[in-house]
Amino acid sequence: MFNSSFVRYAVSGLGALAASFALVSAAHAQQENTFVAIDPPQATAATDKIEVLEFFQYGCPHCRSMEPLVESWEKKQAADVQLQRVPVAFNAGMAPWQHLYFSLEGMGRLDLQSAVFNAVQTERNPLNSRERVVEWAAKQGLDKSKFEAMYDSFGVGTKVSRANQLIKAYKLESVPTMVVNGSYMTSPALANGYPQTLEVVSSLIEKVRSTKKP
């Protein structure tokens, strides 16, 4: 897992961005199951859907490995499942990553997700400032003025604030982490692997779905 202990290391770019799997929080580590029940459950944004949150970070190598798996998994889900990726900033230095994600989302360009991971982790471009993010976006062929307007928009700012509220509400300590319908949390560390994480998420979706049936 990638957690706050790696933050300064990743943001400053002074060393490798790769991080080894670490233990989840002590409370989670005591669980022998592949998921943790959230007590009390959190309210979800989409009450008519089964909400799945994926907390991720561009500096996290495990999130990068999960990305294509999650993308493929999402395409197979029924209409009652809604996936929302939540970019995580463990400190203010990572806030540009959040603004970048929501700007790409707002412009319908999440196809550039892999390119962002590549920029941060392979090209060692930390993208840790508005200027660096805008410069990078322009090099990807995005209209600079439109991107800047989106980056600075009220809508993106609101989404960043909401993401930070979720991070706090779920007491997030590491990424990648997935939450199903505000009630269950799992991760590669708990599920013992990337594909296994999505298998657990799928089983939890069925668990939630069964409780929704009349």
Side-chain angles (χ1 to χ4, degrees):
M1 303 292 286
F2 189 83
N3 56 42
S4 55
S5 65
F6 298 105
V7 168
R8 288 191 297 273
Y9 197 52
V11 173
S12 65
L14 300 177
L17 282 166
S20 61
F21 274 104
L23 291 175
V24 291
S25 67
H28 292 183
Q30 293 173 0
Q31 298 282 337
E32 294 182 358
N33 295 325
T34 55
F35 65 89
V36 174
I38 297 169
D39 186 20
Q42 299 294 310
T44 61
T47 56
D48 60 332
K49 302 279 187 178
I50 300 175
E51 181 185 76
V52 177
L53 303 177
E54 183 209 5
F55 292 92
F56 79 98
Q57 195 174 79
Y58 287 125
C60 165
H62 306 300
C63 298
R64 186 182 190 181
S65 296
M66 280 282 289
E67 176 62 24
L69 300 180
V70 173
E71 184 177 352
S72 176
W73 174 87
E74 182 182 16
K75 294 176 181 178
K76 301 173 184 176
Q77 300 312 299
D80 65 339
V81 176
Q82 178 173 296
L83 172 68
Q84 175 62 58
R85 292 178 173 86
V86 183
V88 173
F90 286 118
N91 68 22
M94 289 183 172
W97 291 352
Q98 294 177 300
H99 283 268
L100 170 55
Y101 173 79
F102 288 121
S103 295
L104 292 177
E105 182 183 60
M107 297 181 75
R109 291 306 309 271
L110 287 179
D111 58 296
L112 290 173
Q113 275 284 85
S114 295
V116 183
F117 279 112
N118 186 66
V120 174
Q121 298 187 32
T122 301
E123 298 172 1
R124 302 300 172 87
N125 179 353
L127 297 177
N128 58 353
S129 70
R130 180 185 184 281
E131 292 71 23
R132 283 175 171 167
V133 169
V134 170
E135 180 183 9
W136 177 87
K139 288 181 178 179
Q140 309 311 305
L142 298 179
D143 183 282
K144 183 177 179 181
S145 296
K146 290 181 180 179
F147 182 83
E148 287 180 307
M150 181 65 71
Y151 188 99
D152 297 329
S153 69
F154 176 79
V156 165
T158 299
K159 288 181 178 181
V160 169
S161 295
R162 174 58 178 162
N164 290 331
Q165 290 171 0
L166 290 170
I167 292 164
K168 183 177 181 180
Y170 288 109
K171 298 180 174 62
L172 196 74
E173 296 183 358
S174 56
V175 288
T177 293
M178 300 189 76
V179 173
V180 178
N181 217 52
S183 299
Y184 307 102
M185 180 181 293
T186 188
S187 67
L190 284 169
N192 199 32
Y194 305 133
Q196 293 89 333
T197 300
L198 294 172
E199 290 173 5
V200 172
V201 169
S202 294
S203 68
L204 290 171
I205 287 173
E206 288 302 321
K207 182 181 180 71
V208 172
R209 188 177 282 136
S210 67
T211 65
K212 286 179 173 287
K213 291 180 178 179

